[in-house]
Amino acid sequence: MRWTRRLRLAAAGAVAASALCSPPATPAVDPPDGRLTDLVNPFIGTQNEGNTFPGAAVPFGMVQLSPDTGHRTGYDYTQRRIRGFSLVHLSGVGCAIGGDLPVLPTTGDVTETDYAKYAATFSHADEQASPGYYRVRLGDGIQAELTATARTGVQRYTFPATGKANVLLNAGQALHKNISSNVEILDDRTVRTTITGSGFCRSTRPYTVYTVTRFSRPFTAHGTWYQDSITPKATKSSGPGRNGAYVTFDTTRDRTVEARTALSYVDARGAEANLAAAQPGSFDEVREAARRAWEDRLDDVRVQGGDRTLRTTFYSSLYRSFLAPNIGSDADGRYRGWDQRIHRTNGFTYYQNWSLWDTYRTQAQLLSLLAPREARDMALSVLEIDAQGGWLPKWGYGTVETNIMSGDPVTPFLTHAYQQGLLKGHEERAYRALKKNADGVPPANTMYVGRESNREYIANGFAPYIKNRPYSKPGDSDYHYGASVTLEYALSDAMLAQMARDLGRDTDAARYAARSRNYRNVFDRSTGFFRARDASGAFAGPADPAKSVGFHEGTAWQYQWLVPQDLRGMVGLIGGDRAANDRLDAFFAYDRLLKDPVGTARDVWVNGPYAYYNADKYNPQNEPDLIAPYTYLSTGQPWKTTDVVHAALTLFTDGPTGMTGNDDLGTMSAWNVLSSIGIFPVQPGYRTWGLTTPVFDRVDLALDRAYYPGGRLTVTAPGTSGSQRYIQGVRVDGKAYERTYITTDTLRRPSTLEFTVGARPSGWGTAPKAAPPALK
């Protein structure tokens, strides 16, 4: 579903990026021809470990062609040398992965084989990026331009006039560990490679990619290299070390060389088929097609109000939310499953790359709203992993499980898809896979870890924290994070209980619902916080919740609020609403926040991109705290959710440092988008959406009628600003509405959410029945 007519971006409006504290901003000028792609800055997050990339991609593309500067995840804005333009990147990951086949244009004799040595200098003054396009002028005068289709990267190099214009294709170096590679020069236009690599955090399982590169005209010379040895005229090279090929062109008359590189995770034939099926036409035509694809995506959300900076951060976040998961099947429908066999799709596109511990909290929900057809295929792809490999994934890259992160993130990911109606016709299949995952542990002879602590969790009601327990498989171990794993398992059990009840599995539903209360078993009444328990059942580690052990990338303070299935029960453990609100106020440094929201966000909350531990304050940079600001919706003080959310939004800016930590495949970007709109998935895995003050006067969302029959959602908040931010009242479809949440049922009809805002908190949403309900 796309708009049938363009809605103009308003020339009047008033919310700065620091929406909590700033006065109304000067109205922005509309982008040329209303092009939303002109509001996207791909450089946001490329500095200070946001780990985004500025290169060329189309929505969910298999190929994400981008420069690598020497940073472990690809591109770092502070670095000044480009090692190559490689095919595979993931937006915002914290560990090295991808970077396959870095390609670099050079001039003169080819004398170096290590891309750290032959890397080209560049300046940001000679660099440009927009959705689907990247350009840079290298220090030796070569201009490099990149664009992409779903399965190919397209390059255009403009050389100086020379008889030695080279393109280096490095098959033996990447961001990850290279295991082996093979390169073949097939004819005077074509180079083929096979690359096997591994390594994502602690993962060691290998995967293989196949590429074919075809140039726009014949090259005049060629050769290969292996390690430090360069062999002119050679056509083949292979091995476990540095390995690659170079091709040379005469650009004394025609200075431009174009190349198309296709990627496949299946085989060389798949790469050839992807190249043949790609967007035809010139480089400029492919670039324009990529821009239109992005315009079509961004156009599903039209905002009015706000200055250009705010709209840039918003649409840049929306852009990053559509970068993953990635297409995994070839143009002919074939894909390599997790059983390492070749399969063919039947009525869906196969996707891969699953940062589920991150994305189940925000990005999965945003895609279910704005890209439900793709979100459906993504959910079906996860079910294919179970069918072919025997178990559901945790953190999957390409064709392998990495077992990175902990808990059971796949359950809320799939139950959310079910609740949004994306699994129609596949409900029973999904439930069988989820039940097996929830009740068992994958065998030792599989690559899956699954719910590793499940036996103890089911038997004793908690996952034990065993500090020095050896890893059973590469990746992370649930035993090292017993406290947070107990909370994550309990959350997943709650969401599975709702699905079981819907499907008439009442006995299962009761059992999972009972297990969803297991969070109580790691609550230490002597400290008033959750706390890890060892295998004997004794509480482990320091009693100080800021120095707690057994929590994955967080502390007991930060995990205190990760009980979305039963916040009322958790509040009762703490001592009631007053005690909970006092603790929330301390957690968010609320008194200071009211005086200095921007300073509080940057100086009190944020302590470094990987500062996860030894903290008693909110960490807006990491996943465990993403729902925390919305806890006030359940404690009778919903206006404080607005205060905290709007302060956190100031961390998103329009420069390279404008991300809050790793983007984690769109997780943080989706948080920004949803929180800016004013609806947020406060019970991930279920159908509950919390409400808070939008930062725009109006937001129009076009929804796919196949999944949302109403076809649209309009959110209005006239006059919203830093000084006019408090909800005075809400109307849903014209009727007064007192609850602090809506459900997916509201989204399935033509809906309007009307927020009336003012300068002071009101009584809206403060009644006990206004809070999101506990899941029984």
Side-chain angles (χ1 to χ4, degrees), residues 46-114:
T46 58
Q47 185 176 334
N48 198 27
E49 303 301 325
N51 295 340
T52 59
F53 63 87
V58 296
F60 312 118
M62 179 187 292
V63 168
Q64 301 190 327
L65 183 61
S66 189
D68 296 324
T69 62
H71 188 270
R72 68 182 183 283
T73 65
Y75 181 95
D76 185 282
Y77 196 80
T78 64
Q79 297 175 332
R80 292 294 182 268
R81 287 165 62 85
I82 291 176
R83 297 179 173 187
F85 307 104
S86 64
L87 293 173
V88 178
H89 297 85
L90 296 183
S91 181
V93 296
C95 296
I97 196 67
D100 300 285
L101 193 65
V103 176
L104 190 72
T106 68
T107 57
D109 294 330
V110 178
T111 59
E112 295 287 353
T113 63
D114 182 348

Side-chain angles (χ1 to χ4, degrees), residues 532-668:
R533 298 174 69 173
D534 63 23
S536 73
F539 286 114
D544 183 347
K547 298 179 180 179
S548 50
V549 298
F551 293 89
H552 204 167
E553 295 188 359
T555 67
W557 271 99
Q558 291 157 351
Y559 274 91
Q560 180 71 73
W561 321 108
L562 193 63
V563 192
Q565 72 272 23
D566 187 26
L567 276 176
R568 297 307 306 162
M570 185 272 290
V571 166
L573 290 178
I574 291 175
D577 285 348
R578 182 172 181 177
N581 283 322
D582 287 346
R583 186 171 295 181
L584 283 163
D585 289 351
F587 180 60
F588 292 115
Y590 185 73
D591 289 343
R592 177 169 174 175
L593 175 129
L594 288 179
K595 299 174 183 177
D596 181 14
V598 175
T600 301
R602 296 196 171 276
D603 300 332
V604 179
W605 294 349
V606 175
N607 295 292
Y610 298 110
Y612 302 135
Y613 301 105
N614 299 317
D616 63 355
K617 293 295 184 287
Y618 171 51
N619 182 359
Q621 297 189 120
N622 207 34
E623 281 69 19
D625 280 0
L626 293 184
I627 308 174
Y630 294 88
T631 305
Y632 285 118
L633 301 183
S634 295
T635 61
Q637 297 185 339
W639 67 88
K640 292 183 178 179
T641 288
T642 293
D643 289 335
V644 174
V645 168
H646 282 212
L649 288 172
T650 67
L651 296 169
F652 292 87
T653 66
D654 63 351
T657 61
M659 280 292 305
T660 59
N662 299 162
D663 194 31
D664 289 320
L665 274 70
T667 299
M668 295 301 175

Side-chain angles (χ1 to χ4, degrees), residues 227-267:
Q227 299 291 58
D228 294 323
S229 177
I230 301 172
T231 307
K233 299 183 180 180
T235 58
K236 294 183 180 181
S237 181
S238 62
R242 292 196 309 277
N243 187 40
Y246 68 89
V247 296
T248 302
F249 298 86
D250 184 343
T251 59
T252 53
R253 293 186 178 180
D254 184 353
R255 296 175 54 199
T256 300
V257 174
E258 294 188 12
R260 297 193 180 208
T261 303
L263 176 66
S264 171
Y265 288 81
V266 178
D267 54 23

Side-chain angles (χ1 to χ4, degrees), residues 124-143:
H124 294 309
D126 295 320
E127 190 181 35
Q128 176 188 344
S130 60
Y133 177 70
Y134 174 86
R135 176 190 60 77
V136 66
R137 183 173 295 278
L138 303 176
D140 52 7
I142 303 170
Q143 178 171 276

